[in-house]
Amino acid sequence: MDQIDFSFAELWKMEDYFRERLPRFGFADTSHMVRCATNGEPVGVASVVADTSETLRKWTVSLTGRLRSWWPDVVAHEAFPVYRDLMDVWLIRPLRAWPLEGRAPVPARPRACPECGGEVWADLQLHGARCDSCRWQQTVPQWIPIRDAAERVGRDVRQLERWIADDGIGMRKVKGRRYVELHECMEWRDFLAARRARNLPALRDHQMIVQKQPNGDWEVTLAPNVAVVC
């Protein structure tokens, strides 16, 4: 996985560099494909889908397809010799070490749960991993454009904007585009639906305390507001 992250990040950086330098601004931005470190440096694939590698394959084909269509201009660019040398590190050597064909399947053992030591397996519905014993779970963050997230959770963009304003979900801006975390949107949508179903009052003299439990459920508590007299 480390090698996949490294190679994909380098492929993305090459496409991003030449898209700006050639320039090729008519092509859609691809910043949603990469995961960045705290310093902003691309370090790998933005999201890893637990049950399939189809997303990674599509993104790789898209990036390589762009570079192939630009190749005459890429080769003629003054920066190409540097990228040619780098390609030996992130492309040629890995292909020699791990050929794409002729390899036998590698058996894998389940990982140990960090909470109880039980077996952790991929969960296709969770898009992450879950422990069979204590139900500990870990999801892979999926930061996607706010418009795409609205379609995935069955809401409109204005609704998600209200959730952001209410601090129900977080939001990031990347090159002017707004991104939200898909699982967070789903959890907040389900919480609001549960609150409506239980007819929880929103009283002026009470404050609503919302806490997420270790098992993934939401706990809502109504506590009286305390007036401070000065």
Side-chain angles (χ1 to χ4, degrees):
M1 289 302 298
D2 290 341
Q3 182 62 58
I4 291 175
D5 272 339
F6 172 70
S7 295
F8 186 86
E10 293 299 321
L11 172 64
W12 180 87
K13 285 191 288 187
M14 186 174 182
E15 184 275 342
D16 184 66
Y17 178 85
F18 285 109
R19 177 160 44 86
E20 293 185 359
R21 294 299 189 277
L22 288 179
R24 293 292 190 274
F25 296 127
F27 287 80
D29 180 69
T30 57
S31 56
H32 64 282
M33 296 182 181
V34 289
R35 183 179 73 258
C36 295
T38 54
N39 62 358
E41 178 70 14
V43 294
V45 188
S47 62
V48 178
V49 181
D51 58 332
T52 178
S53 59
E54 185 63 17
T55 299
L56 175 60
R57 188 193 68 81
K58 286 182 178 179
W59 287 350
T60 303
V61 169
S62 176
L63 295 177
T64 54
R66 289 185 179 190
L67 289 172
R68 288 182 63 183
S69 67
W70 308 338
W71 198 247
D73 294 331
V74 170
V75 174
H77 195 275
E78 60 182 6
F80 177 72
V82 176
Y83 278 91
R84 180 186 57 202
D85 295 339
L86 290 174
M87 286 174 65
D88 183 64
V89 176
W90 62 265
L91 178 61
I92 306 302
R93 293 182 190 176
L95 285 176
R96 291 196 191 110
W98 296 287
L100 297 179
E101 297 182 5
R103 293 187 65 204
V106 178
R109 294 179 59 84
R111 296 188 177 184
C113 173
E115 297 292 333
C116 71
E119 294 184 345
V120 174
W121 296 88
D123 188 308
L124 305 186
Q125 294 182 346
L126 181 66
H127 290 288
R130 188 191 302 272
C131 174
D132 277 347
S133 300
C134 70
R135 310 308 291 170
W136 171 88
Q137 63 186 36
Q138 180 68 49
T139 58
V140 178
Q142 296 187 50
W143 290 88
I144 62 177
I146 188 171
R147 186 172 301 277
D148 295 344
E151 293 179 0
R152 295 282 293 274
V153 300
R155 300 292 187 272
D156 57 34
V157 174
R158 291 185 179 180
Q159 182 70 61
L160 267 66
E161 290 172 342
R162 286 195 290 270
W163 294 356
I164 295 170
D166 294 339
D167 292 327
I169 61 175
M171 187 268 292
R172 295 178 180 175
K173 272 194 174 181
V174 180
K175 295 185 178 180
R177 299 186 68 188
R178 296 178 297 172
Y179 289 80
V180 293
E181 207 285 307
L182 179 60
H183 297 106
E184 194 175 44
C185 293
M186 291 179 173
E187 290 176 351
W188 191 251
R189 175 202 60 190
D190 295 342
F191 158 71
L192 294 177
R195 188 177 69 177
R196 288 192 297 269
R198 296 172 184 173
N199 195 26
L200 295 175
L203 304 178
R204 291 180 178 272
D205 56 345
H206 285 69
Q207 61 177 331
M208 184 174 294
I209 302 174
V210 181
Q211 294 179 316
K212 187 176 181 181
Q213 303 302 304
N215 63 358
D217 293 337
W218 292 91
E219 180 179 282
V220 181
T221 306
L222 289 178
N225 290 323
V226 179
V228 179
V229 179
C230 300

